[in-house]
Amino acid sequence: MMTISRETARDFLVNYQGLNDYGTSEGHEGAAAYMRKVRCIQFDPLNVVGRNPDLVLQSRVRNYRPRILEDLLYRDRILTDALDKMMSIIPLEDYPKMARIRKAMADELVGILSNRGSLEALDILEEVREFIRMNGPQQAGRIDIGGRAAEGRWGHTKLSSAALDYLWNSGQLGISIKNGTQKVYDLTENLFPEEIVNGADPFPTERDFLRWYIMRRIGGIGLVWNRKTGAWLGQYIFSQEPRTEIIRELAEEGKLLACRVEGSDETFYLRKEDEGCLGKRTDRNEVRFVAPLDNLIWDRDMTAELFGFRYSWEVYVPAAKRKYGYYVLPVLCGNRFVARFEPEKNTGTGPLRIKNWWWEPDVTVTDELLEAVRDAFRRFSGYLGVEMMKDAYWKGKLAGRKRK
């Protein structure tokens, strides 16, 4: 087992994730290429300065605009909304391979519907499908079949909305487009090619599927440890016992490389195919604003272990208990997290505004670092489609701010 330094581990992760050099990563092809590499980005509907997938892509793809992802999802159909690491976006070509995930989620939803007093939704599935077949793509608000669910605290109030949720999770419906946060549903056979809709599950056994899925999830980050943490969220792979057995098997076969990181007692794993990225330095020191659910920081504990940066997303924390703010973005420079900042909600009517900025306590603020931050703000403003802030404004916001 090889041993690497923390610096080497951080370099590997930053380079693997495309956060060191934009290179030729630009536009639709740049976004598609990143998706082909990591196979999954996490989705969240909150929109302060863009939704999480847009924030992931803007930090890696030169001249990225949200329209690019919308085209890849709903015009070109190269990508699709799916369950993976929670709500996610994946390449459409992975859809047949994810059949077991859809089946597991559909089975889980039966229990959820039972707890919510909405099991009658399962009795109207074909009626809801027929309504869409006859009337075309539909939002949940335009369908009212089966009446209301039993009084309850959680879940959909309309049985037809619960039915739509089940049909999407099980793969019988897809998303035609989104109107803001509202899904517009259509039959999968109307959206995807026949070979995708009717593509057979290529895995003869659950073990075959798990081997593929674990390798795929490791590729979503680049370097992982085998702890029950955020890297392994989702169906099938969150359970540590079967995962441990398969990771050991893949390592023995040479498909995974095991390594130690100096100063850590954990064993880390990367795919053999990614070994060429190991040892490459991060030498550009560009500043990137990182998404709250970015692949680089999927595993918050591992981020703290390797980067010395403890981050939590506080959107669901009561305001009085937040350490930082409602929607805070980590700030990466080279292979270090140097700060975090809370932007004002973007309304498109003026330049980006900053609520708060916190430098990490060990950071020395130099003219070179401030110039890199300025470049990052310029790119971020272009992504948002707003004018660049005045230097006096953003420098004033950054001056003297330290960790709480």
Side-chain angles (χ1 to χ4, degrees), residues 20-22 281-288 333-334 368:
N20 180 43
D21 183 2
Y22 286 100
R281 299 293 302 275
T282 50
D283 53 5
R284 295 181 65 86
N285 288 331
E286 291 181 337
V287 166
R288 312 288 177 100
C333 181
E368 181 183 13

Side-chain angles (χ1 to χ4, degrees), residues 15 18 29 57 71 116 132 149 152 186 192 220 231 238 270 317 344:
N15 280 300
E29 179 49 38
L57 292 171
D71 287 346
R116 291 175 175 175
I132 293 174
D186 199 359
F192 306 148
F238 195 61
L270 67 149
V317 176
E344 297 274 5

Side-chain angles (χ1 to χ4, degrees), residues 149-372:
E151 285 293 326
R153 186 177 171 192
W154 303 106
H156 299 290
T157 58
K158 294 192 300 183
L159 289 174
S160 55
S161 295
L164 286 168
D165 199 29
Y166 180 90
L167 289 166
W168 181 77
N169 279 276
S170 64
Q172 299 177 63
L173 296 180
I175 298 176
S176 173
I177 199 166
K178 285 181 181 174
N179 291 327
T181 60
Q182 297 298 309
K183 302 182 184 76
V184 180
Y185 296 97
D186 199 359
L187 304 177
T188 50
E189 55 261 39
N190 293 340
L191 299 175
F192 306 148
E194 190 275 337
E195 64 269 20
I196 294 293
V197 176
N198 298 318
D201 180 349
F203 304 108
T205 68
E206 183 173 295
R207 190 176 191 83
D208 292 318
F209 167 73
L210 275 171
R211 283 170 57 90
W212 171 80
Y213 197 39
I214 286 170
M215 288 287 284
R216 181 178 178 277
R217 178 59 63 86
I218 292 172
I221 304 172
L223 182 72
V224 301
W225 56 16
N226 185 25
R227 288 176 53 176
K228 199 169 184 178
T229 48
W232 300 107
L233 287 177
Q235 298 284 347
Y236 278 94
I237 54 177
F238 195 61
S239 179
Q240 193 165 14
E241 187 174 342
R243 189 179 73 230
T244 298
E245 182 181 348
I246 288 176
I247 286 175
R248 184 184 302 116
E249 179 182 290
L250 291 167
E252 289 172 353
E253 294 172 9
K255 293 180 172 65
L256 288 179
L257 300 180
C259 68
R260 295 279 188 178
V261 175
E262 291 174 356
S264 175
D265 295 330
E266 300 292 334
T267 300
F268 295 80
Y269 299 90
L270 67 149
R271 299 181 304 181
K272 172 65 176 176
E273 64 198 77
D274 301 321
E275 185 180 15
C277 199
L278 198 61
K280 182 181 177 183
R281 299 293 302 275
T282 50
D283 53 5
R284 295 181 65 86
N285 288 331
E286 291 181 337
V287 166
R288 312 288 177 100
F289 300 143
V290 175
L293 303 174
D294 196 280
N295 297 50
L296 178 67
I297 58 172
W298 271 355
D299 193 320
R300 309 289 203 229
D301 290 340
M302 195 178 82
T303 301
E305 179 87 351
L306 297 180
F307 290 86
F309 181 77
R310 176 63 67 179
Y311 174 77
S312 62
W313 200 31
E314 298 182 301
V315 291
Y316 302 114
V317 176
K321 295 184 177 181
R322 290 178 192 141
K323 186 174 182 180
Y324 294 102
Y326 172 72
Y327 203 95
V328 173
L329 304 182
V331 179
L332 182 74
C333 181
N335 68 5
R336 296 180 63 200
F337 286 99
V338 296
R340 64 192 84 199
F341 86 103
E342 182 180 15
E344 297 274 5
K345 182 174 176 58
N346 175 51
T347 61
T349 58
L352 175 70
R353 310 297 291 179
I354 302 169
K355 282 188 177 180
N356 283 297
W357 179 283
W358 301 272
W359 292 106
E360 286 298 283
D362 59 343
V363 169
T364 300
V365 182
T366 63
D367 289 342
E368 181 183 13
L369 177 54
L370 288 176
E371 186 60 28

